[in-house]
């Protein structure tokens, strides 16, 4: 990766951090035959049983069509199941299937280990300020 010579270039540093985080997570999830979006989707459904596809898409920041394809592959793999509620046949609720439940603990450990690495790199007295600054950066980018 090309680095800038300007030590004050925050967007480059942020990008390099995101790339390093993604690479670390990608390698670990690859062993489970998942990508980051699939793992995040499984975690979301585990935390919100019966959620709708639209809710999952919003959480992931993806279009419904993109999530549809992701859901199809996770259903085919036996990790998720879709149920049509009797009171509304136009929607499908999402639930973790038994095979998916086995992955949830592994996925949770991977993301927990990542959080531990990040926390270890930032002194405890600086974490709140870092979180506030990251929130401000995100808000500015979403304007």
């Amino acid at each position: 990766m090309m680095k800038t010579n300007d030590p004050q270039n925050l967007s480059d540093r942020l990008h390099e951090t995101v790339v390093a985080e993604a690479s670390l997570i990608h390698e670990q999830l690859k062993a489970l035959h998942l990508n980051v979006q699939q793992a995040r989707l499984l975690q979301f459904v585990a935390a919100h049983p019966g959620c709708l596809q639209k809710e999952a898409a919003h959480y992931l920041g993806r279009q419904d069509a993109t999530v549809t394809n992701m859901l199809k592959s996770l259903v085919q793999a036996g990790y998720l199941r879709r149920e049509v509620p009797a009171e509304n046949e136009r929607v499908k609720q999402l639930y973790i299937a038994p095979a998916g439940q086995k992955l949830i603990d592994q996925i949770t450990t991977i993301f927990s280990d990542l959080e531990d690495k990040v926390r270890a790199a930032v002194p405890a007295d600086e974490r709140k300020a870092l979180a506030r600054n990251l929130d401000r950066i995100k808000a500015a980018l979403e304007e």
Side-chain angles (χ1 to χ4, degrees):
M1 171 180 305
M2 187 172 122
K3 292 185 180 185
T4 181
N5 290 332
D6 180 1
Q8 299 300 314
N9 191 320
L10 297 178
S11 63
D12 280 352
R13 286 174 173 230
L14 186 58
H15 173 73
E16 291 166 4
T17 302
V18 169
V19 168
E21 183 254 3
S23 177
L24 177 69
I25 293 297
H26 171 76
E27 287 305 313
Q28 294 177 33
L29 290 173
K30 192 164 101 172
L32 300 177
H33 306 289
L34 295 172
N35 62 41
V36 174
Q37 293 293 305
Q38 290 170 321
R40 293 281 186 195
L41 178 57
L42 287 169
Q43 279 190 309
F44 181 80
V45 174
H48 304 90
C51 65
L52 305 178
Q53 176 177 327
K54 182 176 291 232
E55 295 165 330
H58 177 71
Y59 167 75
L60 294 173
R62 300 286 185 203
Q63 297 292 323
D64 281 352
T66 303
V67 174
T68 297
N69 291 334
M70 201 181 312
L71 288 171
K72 282 181 186 177
S73 68
L74 292 171
V75 168
Q76 287 174 347
Y79 301 143
L80 283 179
R81 59 186 172 81
R82 294 179 186 172
E83 287 184 16
V84 178
E87 68 276 1
N88 188 349
E89 295 180 10
R90 296 184 332 186
V91 299
K92 292 178 184 164
Q93 294 177 299
L94 304 173
Y95 296 93
I96 297 292
Q101 190 58 53
K102 292 178 184 176
L103 284 178
I104 294 298
D105 290 339
Q106 294 171 289
I107 293 168
T108 300
T109 298
I110 289 170
F111 285 112
S112 179
D113 290 348
L114 171 66
E115 179 66 14
D116 291 346
K117 278 188 179 225
V118 170
R119 286 179 172 276
V122 179
D125 61 334
E126 295 179 21
R127 290 182 194 143
K128 284 184 181 178
L130 176 59
R132 281 192 306 272
N133 287 326
L134 291 171
D135 288 344
R136 282 194 286 249
I137 292 168
K138 180 178 177 256
L141 295 174
E142 291 175 340
E143 288 180 350

